[in-house]
Short mmCIF file of all heavy atoms in Angstrom, two decimals:
data_model
loop_
_atom_site.label_atom_id
_atom_site.label_comp_id
_atom_site.label_asym_id
_atom_site.label_seq_id
_atom_site.Cartn_x
_atom_site.Cartn_y
_atom_site.Cartn_z
N GLN A 14 48.12 -34.26 25.10
CA GLN A 14 46.93 -34.00 25.93
C GLN A 14 45.66 -34.10 25.10
O GLN A 14 45.54 -33.47 24.05
CB GLN A 14 46.99 -32.60 26.56
CG GLN A 14 45.76 -32.32 27.44
CD GLN A 14 45.61 -30.88 27.90
OE1 GLN A 14 46.48 -30.05 27.62
NE2 GLN A 14 44.51 -30.59 28.57
N TYR A 16 41.54 -33.50 25.33
CA TYR A 16 40.37 -32.99 26.04
C TYR A 16 39.23 -33.89 25.55
O TYR A 16 38.73 -33.71 24.43
CB TYR A 16 40.18 -31.52 25.65
CG TYR A 16 39.21 -30.75 26.49
CD1 TYR A 16 39.48 -30.51 27.85
CD2 TYR A 16 38.05 -30.23 25.96
CE1 TYR A 16 38.59 -29.79 28.62
CE2 TYR A 16 37.16 -29.50 26.73
CZ TYR A 16 37.44 -29.29 28.06
OH TYR A 16 36.57 -28.57 28.83
N TRP A 50 47.75 -37.61 28.11
CA TRP A 50 47.17 -37.01 29.31
C TRP A 50 45.70 -36.76 28.99
O TRP A 50 45.39 -36.04 28.05
CB TRP A 50 47.91 -35.73 29.68
CG TRP A 50 47.10 -34.67 30.40
CD1 TRP A 50 45.94 -34.81 31.12
CD2 TRP A 50 47.40 -33.27 30.44
NE1 TRP A 50 45.52 -33.60 31.62
CE2 TRP A 50 46.39 -32.64 31.22
CE3 TRP A 50 48.43 -32.47 29.91
CZ2 TRP A 50 46.37 -31.26 31.46
CZ3 TRP A 50 48.41 -31.10 30.14
CH2 TRP A 50 47.39 -30.52 30.92
N SER A 52 42.29 -35.13 29.97
CA SER A 52 41.54 -34.19 30.82
C SER A 52 40.34 -34.95 31.38
O SER A 52 39.98 -36.02 30.89
CB SER A 52 41.11 -32.97 30.00
OG SER A 52 42.19 -32.07 29.86
N PRO A 53 39.68 -34.42 32.43
CA PRO A 53 38.67 -35.20 33.15
C PRO A 53 37.55 -35.78 32.28
O PRO A 53 37.01 -35.11 31.40
CB PRO A 53 38.10 -34.20 34.14
CG PRO A 53 39.22 -33.26 34.38
CD PRO A 53 39.93 -33.13 33.06
N ASP A 61 32.21 -26.48 35.20
CA ASP A 61 33.53 -26.13 34.67
C ASP A 61 34.00 -27.24 33.71
O ASP A 61 35.17 -27.60 33.68
CB ASP A 61 34.52 -25.95 35.84
CG ASP A 61 35.87 -25.38 35.37
OD1 ASP A 61 35.93 -24.85 34.25
OD2 ASP A 61 36.85 -25.49 36.13
N PHE A 62 33.06 -27.78 32.97
CA PHE A 62 33.34 -28.76 31.91
C PHE A 62 34.33 -29.84 32.31
O PHE A 62 35.36 -30.03 31.67
CB PHE A 62 33.72 -28.03 30.62
CG PHE A 62 32.58 -27.19 30.17
CD1 PHE A 62 32.56 -25.83 30.41
CD2 PHE A 62 31.46 -27.78 29.61
CE1 PHE A 62 31.45 -25.07 30.08
CE2 PHE A 62 30.36 -27.04 29.28
CZ PHE A 62 30.34 -25.68 29.51
N GLY A 63 33.98 -30.52 33.39
CA GLY A 63 34.77 -31.69 33.79
C GLY A 63 35.65 -31.43 34.99
O GLY A 63 36.03 -32.37 35.69
N TYR A 64 36.02 -30.18 35.22
CA TYR A 64 36.88 -29.88 36.38
C TYR A 64 36.03 -29.67 37.64
O TYR A 64 36.55 -29.23 38.68
CB TYR A 64 37.81 -28.70 36.07
CG TYR A 64 38.93 -29.15 35.14
CD1 TYR A 64 38.76 -29.14 33.75
CD2 TYR A 64 40.12 -29.64 35.64
CE1 TYR A 64 39.77 -29.60 32.90
CE2 TYR A 64 41.14 -30.09 34.81
CZ TYR A 64 40.96 -30.07 33.44
OH TYR A 64 41.95 -30.53 32.60
N ASP A 65 34.75 -29.96 37.56
CA ASP A 65 33.87 -30.03 38.73
C ASP A 65 33.37 -31.48 38.74
O ASP A 65 32.53 -31.87 37.94
CB ASP A 65 32.71 -29.04 38.62
CG ASP A 65 31.96 -29.13 37.30
OD1 ASP A 65 32.60 -29.26 36.24
OD2 ASP A 65 30.71 -29.13 37.32
N ASP A 99 44.08 -36.76 34.73
CA ASP A 99 43.98 -35.45 35.35
C ASP A 99 43.30 -35.65 36.70
O ASP A 99 42.15 -36.10 36.75
CB ASP A 99 43.11 -34.55 34.46
CG ASP A 99 43.47 -33.10 34.54
OD1 ASP A 99 43.70 -32.64 35.66
OD2 ASP A 99 43.48 -32.44 33.49
N LEU A 100 44.01 -35.38 37.77
CA LEU A 100 43.42 -35.54 39.10
C LEU A 100 43.06 -34.17 39.66
O LEU A 100 43.94 -33.32 39.80
CB LEU A 100 44.41 -36.20 40.05
CG LEU A 100 44.50 -37.71 40.09
CD1 LEU A 100 45.43 -38.14 41.22
CD2 LEU A 100 43.13 -38.36 40.28
N VAL A 101 41.80 -34.00 39.95
CA VAL A 101 41.33 -32.71 40.48
C VAL A 101 40.97 -32.96 41.94
O VAL A 101 39.85 -33.37 42.25
CB VAL A 101 40.13 -32.19 39.67
CG1 VAL A 101 39.76 -30.78 40.11
CG2 VAL A 101 40.43 -32.23 38.18
N LEU A 102 41.93 -32.73 42.83
CA LEU A 102 41.72 -33.09 44.23
C LEU A 102 41.62 -31.86 45.13
O LEU A 102 41.52 -31.99 46.35
CB LEU A 102 42.86 -33.99 44.72
CG LEU A 102 43.07 -35.30 43.95
CD1 LEU A 102 44.23 -36.09 44.54
CD2 LEU A 102 41.80 -36.14 43.94
N ASN A 103 41.68 -30.68 44.53
CA ASN A 103 41.54 -29.48 45.35
C ASN A 103 40.08 -29.21 45.71
O ASN A 103 39.78 -28.69 46.77
CB ASN A 103 42.09 -28.26 44.60
CG ASN A 103 41.87 -26.98 45.37
OD1 ASN A 103 42.41 -26.80 46.45
ND2 ASN A 103 41.00 -26.11 44.86
N HIS A 104 39.20 -29.58 44.78
CA HIS A 104 37.78 -29.30 44.98
C HIS A 104 36.96 -30.42 44.36
O HIS A 104 37.48 -31.23 43.59
CB HIS A 104 37.40 -27.96 44.34
CG HIS A 104 37.99 -27.77 42.97
ND1 HIS A 104 39.20 -27.15 42.76
CD2 HIS A 104 37.57 -28.16 41.74
CE1 HIS A 104 39.49 -27.14 41.48
NE2 HIS A 104 38.52 -27.76 40.83
N VAL A 140 38.84 -17.31 41.64
CA VAL A 140 39.59 -17.09 40.40
C VAL A 140 38.66 -16.67 39.27
O VAL A 140 39.01 -15.84 38.42
CB VAL A 140 40.30 -18.40 39.97
CG1 VAL A 140 41.09 -18.21 38.69
CG2 VAL A 140 41.18 -18.95 41.07
N PHE A 141 37.47 -17.24 39.24
CA PHE A 141 36.56 -16.98 38.12
C PHE A 141 35.63 -15.78 38.40
O PHE A 141 34.66 -15.57 37.71
CB PHE A 141 35.71 -18.22 37.83
CG PHE A 141 36.50 -19.38 37.26
CD1 PHE A 141 36.09 -20.68 37.45
CD2 PHE A 141 37.65 -19.15 36.50
CE1 PHE A 141 36.80 -21.75 36.92
CE2 PHE A 141 38.37 -20.21 35.96
CZ PHE A 141 37.95 -21.52 36.18
N MET A 159 37.74 -21.75 45.70
CA MET A 159 38.71 -20.94 44.96
C MET A 159 38.24 -20.69 43.53
O MET A 159 38.55 -19.67 42.94
CB MET A 159 40.07 -21.64 44.93
CG MET A 159 41.05 -20.93 44.02
SD MET A 159 42.75 -21.34 44.37
CE MET A 159 43.34 -19.93 45.23
N PHE A 160 37.46 -21.62 42.99
CA PHE A 160 36.97 -21.44 41.61
C PHE A 160 35.47 -21.11 41.68
O PHE A 160 35.08 -20.26 42.46
CB PHE A 160 37.33 -22.67 40.77
CG PHE A 160 38.82 -22.80 40.62
CD1 PHE A 160 39.58 -23.53 41.53
CD2 PHE A 160 39.50 -22.14 39.60
CE1 PHE A 160 40.96 -23.61 41.42
CE2 PHE A 160 40.88 -22.21 39.49
CZ PHE A 160 41.61 -22.95 40.40
N LEU A 161 34.62 -21.80 40.93
CA LEU A 161 33.19 -21.48 40.94
C LEU A 161 32.54 -21.87 42.26
O LEU A 161 33.05 -22.74 42.97
CB LEU A 161 32.49 -22.26 39.82
CG LEU A 161 32.93 -21.98 38.40
CD1 LEU A 161 32.27 -22.98 37.45
CD2 LEU A 161 32.57 -20.55 38.01
N GLN A 164 32.21 -25.41 42.81
CA GLN A 164 33.45 -26.19 43.03
C GLN A 164 34.00 -25.96 44.44
O GLN A 164 35.07 -25.35 44.61
CB GLN A 164 34.52 -25.77 41.99
CG GLN A 164 34.17 -26.18 40.56
CD GLN A 164 35.09 -25.52 39.54
OE1 GLN A 164 35.12 -24.30 39.43
NE2 GLN A 164 35.82 -26.31 38.80
N ARG A 194 48.33 -35.85 36.19
CA ARG A 194 48.54 -34.40 36.14
C ARG A 194 47.68 -33.86 37.27
O ARG A 194 46.48 -34.16 37.36
CB ARG A 194 48.09 -33.89 34.77
CG ARG A 194 48.10 -32.37 34.59
CD ARG A 194 46.74 -31.77 34.82
NE ARG A 194 46.70 -30.35 34.50
CZ ARG A 194 45.70 -29.55 34.85
NH1 ARG A 194 44.65 -30.02 35.50
NH2 ARG A 194 45.73 -28.28 34.54
N LEU A 195 48.30 -33.12 38.18
CA LEU A 195 47.59 -32.69 39.38
C LEU A 195 47.11 -31.26 39.21
O LEU A 195 47.90 -30.32 39.14
CB LEU A 195 48.51 -32.77 40.60
CG LEU A 195 49.12 -34.14 40.90
CD1 LEU A 195 50.03 -34.04 42.12
CD2 LEU A 195 48.03 -35.17 41.16
N ASP A 196 45.81 -31.12 39.15
CA ASP A 196 45.18 -29.82 38.99
C ASP A 196 45.44 -28.96 40.23
O ASP A 196 45.16 -29.40 41.36
CB ASP A 196 43.67 -30.06 38.81
CG ASP A 196 42.92 -28.85 38.32
OD1 ASP A 196 43.03 -28.52 37.14
OD2 ASP A 196 42.21 -28.22 39.14
N VAL A 197 45.94 -27.76 40.03
CA VAL A 197 46.21 -26.77 41.09
C VAL A 197 46.57 -27.39 42.45
O VAL A 197 46.03 -27.01 43.49
CB VAL A 197 45.04 -25.75 41.25
CG1 VAL A 197 44.91 -24.90 40.01
CG2 VAL A 197 43.70 -26.41 41.56
N GLU A 255 50.28 -29.02 38.12
CA GLU A 255 49.93 -27.69 37.63
C GLU A 255 50.09 -26.73 38.80
O GLU A 255 49.28 -26.70 39.72
CB GLU A 255 48.48 -27.65 37.14
CG GLU A 255 48.12 -26.30 36.54
CD GLU A 255 46.63 -25.98 36.56
OE1 GLU A 255 45.88 -26.56 37.37
OE2 GLU A 255 46.21 -25.12 35.78
N PHE A 257 49.83 -23.50 40.57
CA PHE A 257 49.08 -22.25 40.43
C PHE A 257 50.02 -21.11 40.81
O PHE A 257 50.70 -21.17 41.81
CB PHE A 257 47.87 -22.32 41.37
CG PHE A 257 46.74 -21.45 40.92
CD1 PHE A 257 46.28 -21.52 39.62
CD2 PHE A 257 46.13 -20.59 41.80
CE1 PHE A 257 45.24 -20.73 39.19
CE2 PHE A 257 45.07 -19.79 41.38
CZ PHE A 257 44.63 -19.86 40.08
N PHE A 279 55.05 -22.37 32.56
CA PHE A 279 54.06 -21.47 31.97
C PHE A 279 54.68 -20.24 31.31
O PHE A 279 54.05 -19.62 30.46
CB PHE A 279 53.03 -21.06 33.02
CG PHE A 279 52.15 -22.21 33.43
CD1 PHE A 279 52.18 -22.71 34.71
CD2 PHE A 279 51.29 -22.79 32.51
CE1 PHE A 279 51.39 -23.78 35.09
CE2 PHE A 279 50.49 -23.87 32.87
CZ PHE A 279 50.54 -24.36 34.16
N ASN A 315 47.26 -25.58 26.18
CA ASN A 315 46.48 -26.63 26.83
C ASN A 315 45.02 -26.20 26.76
O ASN A 315 44.69 -25.25 26.02
CB ASN A 315 46.99 -26.88 28.27
CG ASN A 315 46.86 -25.65 29.15
OD1 ASN A 315 45.88 -24.90 29.05
ND2 ASN A 315 47.83 -25.43 30.01
N HIS A 316 44.17 -26.85 27.53
CA HIS A 316 42.73 -26.58 27.43
C HIS A 316 42.34 -25.24 28.05
O HIS A 316 41.17 -24.89 28.05
CB HIS A 316 41.97 -27.72 28.12
CG HIS A 316 42.30 -27.77 29.58
ND1 HIS A 316 43.55 -28.16 30.04
CD2 HIS A 316 41.59 -27.45 30.68
CE1 HIS A 316 43.58 -28.08 31.36
NE2 HIS A 316 42.39 -27.65 31.77
N ASP A 317 43.30 -24.50 28.60
CA ASP A 317 43.01 -23.19 29.20
C ASP A 317 43.59 -22.02 28.39
O ASP A 317 43.40 -20.87 28.78
CB ASP A 317 43.65 -23.11 30.61
CG ASP A 317 43.02 -24.07 31.60
OD1 ASP A 317 41.82 -24.38 31.46
OD2 ASP A 317 43.73 -24.50 32.55
N ASP A 370 32.06 -21.29 28.50
CA ASP A 370 33.00 -21.30 29.63
C ASP A 370 32.64 -20.20 30.64
O ASP A 370 32.49 -19.04 30.26
CB ASP A 370 34.41 -21.09 29.07
CG ASP A 370 35.47 -21.24 30.14
OD1 ASP A 370 35.27 -22.06 31.06
OD2 ASP A 370 36.49 -20.53 30.07
N PRO A 371 32.55 -20.55 31.95
CA PRO A 371 32.10 -19.57 32.95
C PRO A 371 32.88 -18.25 32.97
O PRO A 371 32.25 -17.18 32.96
CB PRO A 371 32.23 -20.31 34.28
CG PRO A 371 32.26 -21.75 33.93
CD PRO A 371 32.76 -21.89 32.54
N PRO A 372 34.23 -18.25 32.97
CA PRO A 372 34.88 -16.94 32.99
C PRO A 372 34.57 -16.11 31.73
O PRO A 372 34.50 -14.88 31.79
CB PRO A 372 36.37 -17.24 33.09
CG PRO A 372 36.53 -18.72 32.99
CD PRO A 372 35.19 -19.35 33.15
N ARG A 383 37.58 -19.92 27.61
CA ARG A 383 38.52 -20.90 27.08
C ARG A 383 37.89 -21.83 26.04
O ARG A 383 38.47 -22.84 25.67
CB ARG A 383 39.10 -21.71 28.25
CG ARG A 383 39.82 -20.83 29.27
CD ARG A 383 40.00 -21.53 30.60
NE ARG A 383 38.71 -21.79 31.23
CZ ARG A 383 38.55 -22.45 32.38
NH1 ARG A 383 39.60 -22.90 33.02
NH2 ARG A 383 37.35 -22.65 32.87
N ARG A 387 39.03 -25.29 22.69
CA ARG A 387 38.44 -26.59 23.01
C ARG A 387 37.54 -27.11 21.89
O ARG A 387 36.79 -28.06 22.09
CB ARG A 387 37.61 -26.47 24.30
CG ARG A 387 38.45 -26.08 25.50
CD ARG A 387 37.63 -25.82 26.75
NE ARG A 387 38.49 -25.53 27.88
CZ ARG A 387 38.07 -25.24 29.11
NH1 ARG A 387 36.77 -25.19 29.35
NH2 ARG A 387 38.91 -24.99 30.08
C1 LIG B 601 42.95 -25.68 36.33
C2 LIG B 601 42.38 -26.32 35.10
O1 LIG B 601 43.38 -26.40 34.12
C3 LIG B 601 41.21 -25.47 34.65
O2 LIG B 601 40.70 -25.90 33.43
C4 LIG B 601 40.15 -25.52 35.72
O3 LIG B 601 39.11 -24.63 35.39
C5 LIG B 601 40.71 -25.13 37.09
N1 LIG B 601 41.98 -25.74 37.36
C6 LIG B 601 39.78 -25.55 38.18
O4 LIG B 601 39.79 -26.95 38.30
#
Side-chain angles (χ1 to χ4, degrees):
Q14 180 190 357
Y16 193 65
W50 151 22
S52 280
D61 189 17
F62 298 100
Y64 286 86
D65 51 317
D99 210 317
L100 274 187
V101 187
L102 302 180
N103 175 65
H104 44 268
V140 180
F141 291 152
M159 172 160 256
F160 295 90
L161 298 172
Q164 292 168 298
R194 174 263 187 193
L195 302 179
D196 193 75
V197 294
E255 184 204 22
F257 206 50
F279 291 114
N315 62 37
H316 63 291
D317 293 331
D370 186 33
R383 301 162 295 177
R387 298 175 177 178

